[in-house]
């Protein structure tokens, strides 16, 4: 059952210090506990997600259990780059993918040119219900490196979240993010 936005609260995690990875590295966030609103950096247990640079140097998202966490995609394997304030919900994401969802390949992808933005996150709460969220990513093509500075999700199931919304005063959008089209992704 969907909850009203008045009842919803955002669970925000400031990843401090920011976590960066480069070619042939992996970064794991583990055991995102929907009940307590906690996570354990580095764990592969529970509801975990990973950033991984593959052997070809491309970046991919990987939900460890392949079912409990999925990523907003363009309906194939590419992860859109959302701007601050974009709505993330069941109705605004073309598809949801498990493993091998690319921010960028050597020749394509929304993140190919680098920059900062948000990736859509969905956590399976069971019974056909989901908690929607986002992950803040800065993708630097010169390394290449990817840096995660934070992530968040709505604590109420089936409730939309705005990309970058931390539940408090609105932060100033980072330079380089822009709204494109109705879905607000590039």
């Amino acid at each position: 059952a969907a909850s009203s936005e008045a009842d919803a609260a955002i669970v925000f995690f400031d990843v401090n210090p920011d976590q960066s990875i480069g070619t042939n590295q992996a970064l794991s966030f583990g055991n995102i506990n929907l009940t307590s609103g906690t996570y354990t950096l580095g764990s592969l247990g529970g509801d975990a997600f990973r950033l991984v640079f593959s052997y070809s140097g491309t970046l991919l998202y990987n939900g460890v259990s392949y079912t409990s966490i999925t990523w907003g995609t363009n309906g194939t394997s590419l992860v859109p780059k959302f701007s601050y304030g974009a709505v993330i919900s069941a109705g605004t994401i073309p598809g949801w993918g498990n493993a091998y969802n690319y921010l960028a390949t050597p020749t394509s992808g929304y993140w190919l040119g680098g920059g900062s933005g948000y990736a859509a996150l969905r956590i399976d709460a069971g019974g056909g219900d989901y908690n929607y969220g986002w992950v803040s990513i800065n993708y630097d093509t010169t390394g290449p490196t990817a840096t995660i500075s934070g992530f968040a999700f709505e604590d109420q199931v089936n409730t939309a979240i705005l990309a970058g919304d931390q539940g408090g005063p609105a932060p100033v959008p980072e330079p380089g993010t822009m709204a494109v089209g109705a879905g607000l992704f590039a």
Side-chain angles (χ1 to χ4, degrees):
S3 300
S4 71
E5 288 190 35
D7 297 333
I10 295 171
V11 179
F12 170 70
F13 299 103
D14 180 11
V15 178
N16 191 8
D18 293 352
Q19 299 292 305
S20 296
I21 62 168
T23 304
N24 297 319
Q25 293 181 323
L27 174 64
S28 300
F29 291 79
N31 197 19
I32 299 171
N33 187 315
L34 295 174
T35 304
S36 66
T38 60
Y39 85 100
T40 305
L41 182 65
S43 171
L44 286 179
D47 293 329
F49 67 88
R50 299 179 74 191
L51 279 173
V52 180
F53 272 100
S54 73
Y55 63 90
S56 61
T58 62
L59 186 68
L60 60 87
Y61 264 117
N62 177 297
V64 172
S65 71
Y66 302 115
T67 57
S68 61
I69 293 180
T70 52
W71 304 100
T73 70
N74 67 341
T76 63
S77 62
L78 296 176
V79 175
K81 181 181 182 181
F82 288 89
S83 299
Y84 177 81
V87 176
I88 297 172
S89 68
T92 61
I93 307 296
W96 294 95
N98 300 7
Y100 308 110
N101 299 294
Y102 292 88
L103 295 181
T105 70
T107 58
S108 65
Y110 298 94
W111 300 75
L112 189 61
S116 296
Y118 302 92
L121 167 73
R122 183 178 78 168
I123 304 170
D124 189 343
D129 293 322
Y130 298 95
N131 295 83
Y132 294 94
W134 54 263
V135 178
S136 176
I137 300 172
N138 181 25
Y139 185 43
D140 182 351
T141 59
T142 60
T145 59
T147 302
I148 293 180
S149 58
F151 63 97
F153 61 86
E154 276 287 352
D155 72 347
Q156 298 295 310
V157 296
N158 306 323
T159 300
I161 188 171
L162 301 178
D165 189 353
Q166 300 173 7
V172 176
E174 295 183 36
T177 61
M178 63 180 203
V180 178
L184 296 176
F185 61 88

